[in-house]
Amino acid sequence: QQQVKQSPQSLIVQKGGISIINCAYENTAFDYFPWYQQFPGKGPALLIAIRPDVSEKKEGRFTISFNKSAKQFSLHIMDSQPGDSATYFCAASSMEYGNKLVFGAGTILRVKS
Amino acid sequence: DGGITQSPKYLFRKEGQNVTLSCEQNLNHDAMYWYRQDPGQGLRLIYYSQIVNDFQKGDIAEGYSVSREKKESFPLTVTSAQKNPTAFYLCASSVPSRENGYTFGSGTRLTVV
């Protein structure tokens, strides 16, 4: 119930292409869904987040799509660049569980130039 | 600059020894967290603290201990009871508002030799 399942485990995209990472959850109490970006040897940093009352949120080249009925959400990176190469984590939290973040397993993205 | 400092960056420990990882923040955040990162498993919560002198176990607390005597500091001790301690350890902090996300440190890589 507390799990967030993330796929794919790794992804290779050509420069300029679209990177898509998917996550799914079971716990309907989750009400906040952030994405974190992590570069090698560094801690993750908040990239973008969404609440379940909206179906899409866009910030620059990054878009979260959210499907409440399917309990799924995804990150789209438009016009992917080599500098986007990193590990991406989806996460979820709920006020019911003290706002602690539950993370997905991570996706290693490599953008080829 | 405000942030989270984790030290040391690399740590080697002999089997059977306890070791303490340092985490200091100057963000004036109330909540602090310890996560363990292993390849393909994402970030798993070890312990968290929402206020000074109080902390709770996360999902994988066995073999670990923490203290929160000061708001700025949340050290993690990896004890000899932890069966597989080699991992990348991340400390994070947050304010009550989820919109600001977690601020992570740069991590400590612990290797048992």
Side-chain angles (χ1 to χ4, degrees):
Chain A
Q1 277 256 322
Q2 283 288 71
Q3 281 187 327
V4 178
K5 295 183 179 179
Q6 183 172 348
S7 63
Q9 189 171 18
S10 63
L11 182 61
I12 300 175
V13 174
Q14 287 291 128
K15 179 181 176 181
I18 303 174
S19 304
I20 301 174
I21 304 170
N22 301 299
C23 286
Y25 64 97
E26 289 295 325
N27 190 344
T28 54
F30 285 145
D31 59 358
Y32 178 70
F33 303 89
W35 285 87
Y36 281 77
Q37 178 188 56
Q38 183 184 32
F39 293 105
K42 301 294 185 184
L46 178 64
L47 187 62
I48 186 173
I50 197 169
R51 291 189 179 274
D53 52 347
V54 297
S55 60
E56 187 176 281
K57 183 174 181 180
K58 183 176 180 180
E59 290 185 2
R61 295 183 295 108
F62 300 91
T63 300
I64 300 179
S65 297
F66 187 84
N67 185 330
K68 189 174 181 178
S69 61
K71 291 185 282 188
Q72 295 175 349
F73 58 110
S74 60
L75 176 69
H76 292 63
I77 306 174
M78 313 300 288
D79 187 25
S80 298
Q81 299 296 313
D84 297 328
S85 298
T87 300
Y88 292 82
F89 294 97
C90 63
S93 70
S94 76
M95 294 184 66
E96 183 177 330
Y97 296 108
N99 292 337
K100 299 187 303 297
L101 285 175
V102 177
F103 286 88
T107 296
I108 301 172
L109 171 66
R110 179 183 163 208
V111 181
K112 296 174 65 175
S113 57
Chain B
D1 282 340
I4 294 186
T5 300
Q6 288 188 244
S7 60
K9 192 170 181 65
Y10 299 96
L11 189 57
F12 295 88
R13 185 196 96 175
K14 292 183 179 179
E15 276 194 40
Q17 289 182 337
N18 293 352
V19 63
T20 297
L21 282 58
S22 171
C23 177
E24 302 279 333
Q25 55 104 352
N26 60 3
L27 299 166
N28 200 33
H29 287 176
D30 289 312
M32 297 187 74
Y33 313 82
W34 275 104
Y35 283 88
R36 170 179 170 141
Q37 183 174 7
D38 297 284
Q41 297 195 54
L43 307 178
R44 293 182 291 167
L45 182 64
I46 305 172
Y47 268 98
Y48 65 102
S49 168
Q50 295 179 316
I51 195 168
V52 175
N53 292 322
D54 188 42
F55 49 82
Q56 288 77 40
K57 292 181 179 180
D59 301 316
I60 56 166
E62 185 176 351
Y64 300 97
S65 66
V66 294
S67 63
R68 187 86 186 276
E69 297 176 0
K70 298 186 300 181
K71 188 175 186 178
E72 303 79 21
S73 179
F74 191 40
L76 173 74
T77 297
V78 184
T79 75
S80 57
Q82 168 51 232
K83 299 304 180 188
N84 184 23
T86 295
F88 189 52
Y89 291 87
L90 287 161
C91 179
S93 69
S94 71
V95 294
S97 169
R98 291 185 287 180
E99 308 306 324
N100 295 324
Y102 284 13
T103 300
F104 281 88
S106 292
T108 292
R109 185 165 298 281
L110 172 65
T111 303
V112 175
V113 297

